[in-house]
Amino acid sequence: PFSTPKPLPSPPLKLRLALTSAQVLNYATLSIGDAEGWMALAGSMAACSTATLNLLHKLFQRQVKAFHPTYRKEIARKFVAVSLNMKSSGSGAGANA
């Protein structure tokens, strides 16, 4: 997902944190179509709040330029999808469970 292989094999902590945050957002879309899979994968994160997802998105956005444009778009799209789903269900990312 990085725009260049320069930070590899050991990216700085800020990039690892951004990537981890993005991956949680990426997999959180399972809560929309596969709530059981999301709960199995996410554990206690399955019931995270909108505030937690916003924090994860903010952490990713701080390092967004280090990531490939395609990955940036994918994470943005999935963040919006999960956020809208949480608002419509009125609960955490695992609200459909």
Side-chain angles (χ1 to χ4, degrees):
F2 294 115
S3 57
T4 68
K6 186 178 179 181
L8 300 174
S10 298
L13 180 60
K14 62 186 178 183
L15 285 180
R16 286 184 273 159
L17 183 59
L19 178 59
T20 302
S21 298
Q23 286 299 96
V24 171
L25 294 171
N26 190 13
Y27 286 108
T29 55
L30 286 173
S31 67
I32 298 169
D34 182 10
E36 188 175 312
W38 169 238
M39 290 179 66
L41 180 69
S44 63
M45 280 293 295
C48 67
S49 66
T50 303
T52 300
L53 289 179
N54 286 334
L55 174 62
L56 294 172
H57 187 251
K58 185 183 291 186
L59 291 169
F60 175 68
Q61 286 297 312
R62 287 182 181 168
Q63 302 299 318
V64 75
K65 290 183 180 181
F67 296 91
H68 192 275
T70 304
Y71 188 69
R72 294 180 210 171
K73 288 179 187 176
E74 178 182 355
I75 297 305
R77 182 177 51 80
K78 290 185 175 184
F79 171 68
V80 169
V82 171
S83 296
L84 289 174
N85 186 61
M86 288 178 71
K87 286 182 182 180
S88 68
S89 67
S91 190
N96 292 340

